[in-house]
Amino acid sequence: MYETPAGPAAELPPGVVHGAGRFAVGNDDGERFALTRRCRHLFADLAAGTIDDGCLTCPWHGSQYDIATGKMVRGPGGAFGAIPGLAQSVKAVANVVPLGRGVVVERDGELFVHRAE
Ligand code: FES
């Protein structure tokens, strides 16, 4: 099985997100997760995002993705949020193909991401 190295487990405490290959890998209150790292809006790197209430938040315009499903639960905000209907449209399109998910495993203190089936 192909796996992506994701660094030492000690470097992923709760609240932290970092990049590992094509994944943003994070720790949501002790629950590790991996989602593909390109935002469905304008492709910002979600590995630079933040974890908020079970969601991964895009660093550029604040779109939020459910950590458990990879679905966008809030569309882009800021100037984009002021355009009527845009956030809802982006969200609808993004959820046709949610972010990919991975399974984070720990082995000898190191983390790896396996593709979710
Ligand atoms: S690039 Fe992510 S919300 Fe705009």
Side-chain angles (χ1 to χ4, degrees):
M1 170 187 285
Y2 181 76
E3 59 185 16
T4 302
E11 293 181 10
L12 194 71
V16 168
V17 184
H18 65 220
R22 59 191 285 262
F23 292 99
V25 180
N27 182 332
D28 181 23
D29 274 338
E31 293 290 323
R32 295 174 181 139
F33 67 90
L35 294 172
T36 50
R37 65 195 279 182
R38 290 295 161 198
C39 181
R40 292 284 195 249
H41 178 219
L42 293 177
F43 312 111
D45 186 356
L46 296 170
T50 55
I51 301 170
D52 306 287
D53 296 326
C55 293
L56 179 58
T57 302
C58 178
W60 284 6
H61 313 111
S63 285
Q64 290 193 309
Y65 296 88
D66 186 302
I67 285 169
T69 65
K71 289 190 171 186
M72 187 184 280
V73 295
R74 189 179 80 188
F80 292 101
I83 300 170
L86 185 125
Q88 292 80 6
S89 298
V90 169
K91 191 170 110 179
V93 171
N95 286 334
V96 172
V97 183
L99 296 178
R101 291 179 295 133
V103 176
V104 182
V105 297
E106 181 176 349
R107 197 169 59 240
D108 299 327
E110 293 289 319
L111 300 177
F112 299 88
V113 181
H114 296 178
R115 264 184 61 171
E117 298 301 325

